Structure formats: C-alpha cells, structure tokens
C-alpha cells in the first residue's frame, strides 16, 4: 500500500511555495480500485506527479508498505532504478513511436531488469506474454503501435506497466479519448486487475458516474483541502459528493449514486 504522512503538495517558486493541498494523512490500499476525482485545476495531476516522484513534495513523506505491520520504504530514498521496480505509471500522453509492435513496446516494461542492452531472457518473454494476456490484447501483439485505436493503445500501456512488475500502478486519466463502451471496459479491466494482482492501482478520472459505479474507494479533492476519502456510498452519505456535484441544473441522488441533469 501507499502511506502518506502529513504530505503537502504544490510547487516550489522563487519567492514562495504554491500549496495545492496540505496535511494529507491517508493510505492507498492494495487489491482495490481507487479513483481520484475533483474539479479541473484542483491538483489531481499534481498529486499523481508527487506520488510518482516526478516532482518533490513540499512537506511530509510517501511510503510504500507491504502490509500494516511494515513501516514502509520512503520513496525519496530510492534510486531511479529502484523506483522503476516499485511504481509503474500510465500517462494520458500517446506514445510517439513508429515501426514498433505492441509486443516490443510492452517488452520495454522489462527494462528495469534487463540491463544496459535490454536483452530479454525466457523469463522476461514469459512475463511480457502474460501481461498481454491479462489485458486481453493477444490478437494485437504483432500490430504496429501507430495502427492502434485509443482504447487498444491504452490497454497496451497498461500491459507495459504490468510487465514492469511493480506493486503500484498510477494512471492519469486512463479513460480520456475513449468512447463510452470503451470507458466502461477500461475501468472494469482495472477493477479486475486490482483483484487478480493485488496491486495498488490508483487513477485520476473525470468520468464521475462510472467511478461511482465501478470503483471501490474514492479520493475527492477540493481546493486547498486534504482529499475526502471513502467508498462512493460513504461520500454520498456524508454529503461530500452532493457538495461537489450539486449546482444549478445538476443534482446528485444519494440513494442511487446517480447524477441527474435538470432541464431549465
């Protein structure tokens, strides 16, 4: 799991720091699907970048722990190679590659283990094949990356993260650019993978209604506040979701966890 202790996120500036959220004390559990939601500009990407060690926290610590009895490893003490064996990241950005097959790109997930020359041994090849199977893209393994649809490409990148064999996977807007059936398929796949692999899978999304139906745990970010955390039902009962969603023309139903548009 991921353990956050008094974490403050934001940006270091020349004259003063810009704080996005502070005093975050929370855990991201393994074996469940956790979704990060909140309004545009609230700091979801900042939180993900901080958790992924792409930018330093302004304060506090981030630990990766094996269980409740383990204090965990402070990620700030890890080398780049050690980080690559602990955290896999799937970004919204499309991979800018040409003349590479799906199987070859997924195999790049083995780079933390293969050394300078990147030579795959039989064990590496088996892990790549299994990662491709787990996301259901066996039929695509010989296709060129540039010929894939957005949904196929996203599954390929998830397979690459699986091939990396990290206990933690962070995803930034994995359903972006997808049509509705593909969005459902993507979140269902991630939910299934969290169960099957017992990895810590944490993603940001703007697909709120799908997150309410499929996710196990929500992190709701509001401006300049620590996230509100709980199951979708918890956040409905305590009023956090109504506070976030309700406005003129939009109503949140706490009982059905649904969002209704009111005609004007």
């Amino acid at each position: 799991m991921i353990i956050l202790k008094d974490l403050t996120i934001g940006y270091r500036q020349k004259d003063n720091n810009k704080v996005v959220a502070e005093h975050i004390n929370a855990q991201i559990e393994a074996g469940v699907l956790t979704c990060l939601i909140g309004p545009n500009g609230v700091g979801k990407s900042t939180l993900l970048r901080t958790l992924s060690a792409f930018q330093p926290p302004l304060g506090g610590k981030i630990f990766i722990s094996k269980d409740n009895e383990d204090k965990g490893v402070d990620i700030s003490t890890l080398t780049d190679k050690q980080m690559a064996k602990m955290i896999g990241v799937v970004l919204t950005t499309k991979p800018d590659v040409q003349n590479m097959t799906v199987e070859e790109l997924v195999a790049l997930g083995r780079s933390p283990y293969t050394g300078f020359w990147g030579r795959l041994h039989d064990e590496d090849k088996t892990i790549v094949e299994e990662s491709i199977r787990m996301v259901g893209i066996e039929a695509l393994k010989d296709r060129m990356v540039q010929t894939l649809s957005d949904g196929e490409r996203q599954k390929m990148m998830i397979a690459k993260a699986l091939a990396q064999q990290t206990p933690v996977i962070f995803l930034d807007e994995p359903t972006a650019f997808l049509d509705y059936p593909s969005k459902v398929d993507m979140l269902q796949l991630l939910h299934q993978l969290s169960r099957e692999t017992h990895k810590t899978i944490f993603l940001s999304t703007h697909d709120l209604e799908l997150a309410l139906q499929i996710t196990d745990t929500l992190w709701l970010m509001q401006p300049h506040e620590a996230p509100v955390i709980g199951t979708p039902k918890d956040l409905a009962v305590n009023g956090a979701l109504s506070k976030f969603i309700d406005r003129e023309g939009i109503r949140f139903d706490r009982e059905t966890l649904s969002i209704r548009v009111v005609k004007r």
Side-chain angles (χ1 to χ4, degrees), residues 118-134:
R119 185 174 294 113
L120 296 180
H121 298 289
D122 288 343
E123 182 183 359
D124 298 306
K125 293 176 183 178
T126 299
I127 291 169
V128 169
E129 291 175 1
E130 176 65 8
S131 301
I132 289 173
R133 183 200 64 77
M134 289 179 71

Side-chain angles (χ1 to χ4, degrees), residues 73-208:
V73 178
D74 182 347
I75 69 168
S76 68
T77 66
L78 300 177
T79 65
D80 289 345
K81 186 172 183 179
Q82 289 171 327
M83 278 291 294
K85 293 181 178 181
M86 297 294 283
I87 297 176
V89 181
V90 179
L91 301 174
T92 306
T93 309
K94 298 177 182 179
D96 184 20
V97 297
Q98 299 287 328
N99 300 319
M100 179 180 285
T101 67
V102 168
E103 187 173 36
E104 289 170 339
L105 190 140
V106 173
L108 294 178
R110 298 303 301 159
S111 59
Y113 309 92
T114 55
F116 179 78
W117 299 108
R119 185 174 294 113
L120 296 180
H121 298 289
D122 288 343
E123 182 183 359
D124 298 306
K125 293 176 183 178
T126 299
I127 291 169
V128 169
E129 291 175 1
E130 176 65 8
S131 301
I132 289 173
R133 183 200 64 77
M134 289 179 71
V135 300
I137 56 171
E138 300 98 316
L140 304 177
K141 69 175 187 176
D142 295 321
R143 285 263 302 273
M144 305 304 288
V145 170
Q146 65 268 23
T147 69
L148 301 179
S149 69
D150 289 331
E152 291 168 341
R153 187 182 298 110
Q154 196 69 302
K155 287 185 177 181
M156 173 189 69
M157 298 307 294
I158 292 171
K160 175 178 174 290
L162 291 173
Q164 202 171 326
Q165 287 196 311
T166 59
V168 178
I169 299 178
F170 295 135
L171 304 99
D172 187 16
E173 293 287 344
T175 57
F177 312 118
L178 304 185
D179 57 33
Y180 189 80
S182 297
K183 289 176 186 288
V184 175
D185 182 48
M186 181 60 60
L187 286 183
Q188 293 279 28
L189 170 63
L190 291 170
H191 188 267
Q192 176 184 339
L193 289 173
S194 70
R195 294 290 197 274
E196 290 181 353
T197 66
H198 204 68
K199 294 180 183 293
T200 300
I201 299 182
F202 185 67
L203 64 96
S204 67
T205 183
H206 282 106
D207 290 308
L208 179 56

Side-chain angles (χ1 to χ4, degrees), residues 220 222 228 231-246 252-254 257:
L220 172 58
Q222 295 282 31
V228 181
T231 67
K233 193 65 177 177
D234 290 339
L235 269 59
V237 171
N238 68 21
L241 286 171
S242 294
K243 180 182 176 182
F244 168 46
I245 298 169
D246 282 351
F252 174 67
D253 189 314
R254 297 186 183 190
L257 301 181

Side-chain angles (χ1 to χ4, degrees), residues 21-92:
E22 57 186 339
H23 305 310
I24 304 173
N25 291 283
Q27 297 180 359
I28 308 174
E29 303 288 345
V32 298
L33 182 63
T34 305
C35 287
L36 175 64
I37 60 174
N40 288 330
V42 76
K44 296 188 296 297
S45 293
T46 302
L47 177 58
L48 277 176
R49 285 196 297 269
T50 305
L51 295 178
S52 306
F54 291 163
Q55 70 181 65
L58 297 182
K61 297 289 185 179
I62 303 167
F63 298 91
I64 298 179
S65 172
K66 293 181 180 179
D67 54 55
N68 291 328
E69 303 301 323
D70 179 19
K71 293 181 179 180
V73 178
D74 182 347
I75 69 168
S76 68
T77 66
L78 300 177
T79 65
D80 289 345
K81 186 172 183 179
Q82 289 171 327
M83 278 291 294
K85 293 181 178 181
M86 297 294 283
I87 297 176
V89 181
V90 179
L91 301 174
T92 306

